[in-house]
Amino acid sequence: DAGVIQSPRHEVTEMGQEVTLRCKPISGHDYLFWYRQTMMRGLELLIYFNNNVPIDDSGMPEDRFSAKMPNASFSTLKIQPSEPRDSAVYFCASRDSSGPAYEQYFGPGTRLTVT
Amino acid sequence: LAKTTQPISMDSYEGQEVNITCSHNNIATNDYITWYQQFPSQGPRFIIQGYKTKVTNEVASLFIPADRKSSTLSLPRVSLSDTAVYYCLVGDMWGTGRRALTFGSGTRLQVQP
């Protein structure tokens, strides 16, 4: 398996623009997680899905952020409108609930820069 | 919440054994302890998980005392490639819920030649 796939790997955009980050989890995994990492705040959980259903979105910073998982093989994280403080590395991870409970598999991340 | 406390950073030399301790005084009965490793510019990678006593795999060992209020990740004979940030997580056995998915600040391990 190719692992968790994220695109784009790097995104530079101007304040106010819409940004869409994409994730393809490992086939067969039923959990999907979105994290954000910054120097100041570390690695934060934004939202996670189980069987394509959002379970906990309390980490989503504000209404500008939204996430969807239309099917088991694809998820998006959208920021509209983007702001400079959204600059961070965004990671997607997936997990198979039939495996070791904590073994999440992380993607390579998307480095977002909002100017 | 079972908050975790780890040293911010540690230094070591190649070939030495490194022990990173995580404090989790409020650990609950059903909580498991899990460690992740993160290299620069990469996502975290699962290392090891345990509930009590000792767990060992090909990468590391995890020591958990009887009271389970702390745990120690042991890396035998580290090399330069072990330079990374190590995170300790504590949460329920199902590995879900925000508490179980809180990574904290981690311990930055720097291995010198």
Side-chain angles (χ1 to χ4, degrees):
Chain A
D1 200 312
V4 175
I5 299 172
Q6 293 187 245
S7 65
R9 294 293 309 277
H10 301 273
E11 177 81 32
V12 180
T13 190
E14 293 183 347
M15 182 173 63
Q17 297 298 307
E18 178 179 294
V19 175
T20 299
L21 311 181
R22 297 173 176 79
C23 174
K24 176 179 170 55
I26 294 173
S27 177
H29 283 193
D30 53 346
Y31 278 88
L32 184 138
F33 308 84
W34 281 101
Y35 291 87
R36 177 174 69 175
Q37 187 169 38
T38 63
M39 288 294 293
M40 290 295 295
R41 300 177 67 88
L43 190 62
E44 305 173 278
L45 176 69
L46 299 178
I47 184 172
Y48 74 93
F49 297 82
N50 178 220
N51 292 320
N52 313 336
V53 176
I55 303 300
D56 185 338
D57 66 354
S58 60
M60 297 286 266
E62 48 200 271
D63 292 344
R64 298 185 298 106
F65 285 68
S66 62
K68 295 182 179 180
M69 192 166 185
N71 56 62
S73 59
F74 183 66
S75 178
T76 60
L77 178 68
K78 185 176 294 186
I79 308 173
Q80 167 63 22
S82 58
E83 297 182 2
R85 59 187 168 134
D86 302 329
S87 297
V89 179
Y90 290 81
F91 289 105
C92 175
S94 69
R95 179 168 75 82
D96 176 5
S97 61
S98 66
Y102 278 76
E103 191 158 5
Q104 296 181 55
Y105 294 81
F106 281 76
T110 295
R111 182 173 296 276
L112 173 65
T113 302
V114 183
T115 61
Chain B
L1 295 181
K3 180 180 177 179
T4 60
T5 303
Q6 305 174 231
I8 295 175
S9 63
M10 295 182 67
D11 293 309
S12 183
Y13 293 94
E14 281 192 297
Q16 289 189 334
E17 178 184 76
V18 171
N19 296 308
I20 305 174
T21 297
C22 179
S23 173
H24 29 78
N25 290 320
N26 296 325
I27 190 168
T29 302
N30 290 335
D31 282 348
Y32 279 67
I33 300 152
T34 309
W35 287 80
Y36 277 80
Q37 173 192 55
Q38 185 178 24
F39 297 115
S41 301
Q42 294 186 26
R45 181 177 73 112
F46 173 88
I47 300 177
I48 197 166
Q49 179 187 46
Y51 182 79
K52 62 180 179 180
T53 63
K54 176 183 175 182
V55 179
T56 297
N57 61 22
E58 65 277 7
V59 177
S61 294
L62 178 60
F63 297 92
I64 306 169
D67 66 6
R68 306 201 323 123
K69 293 184 182 298
S70 66
S71 58
T72 299
L73 176 72
S74 181
L75 305 172
R77 300 182 58 80
V78 294
S79 64
L80 295 177
S81 63
D82 292 315
T83 294
V85 178
Y86 293 83
Y87 297 94
C88 164
L89 284 74
V90 173
D92 63 74
M93 61 185 295
W94 298 276
T96 54
R98 182 155 298 274
R99 183 168 66 87
L101 301 166
T102 299
F103 274 75
S105 301
T107 297
R108 187 174 300 276
L109 173 65
Q110 180 69 50
V111 180
Q112 307 281 1

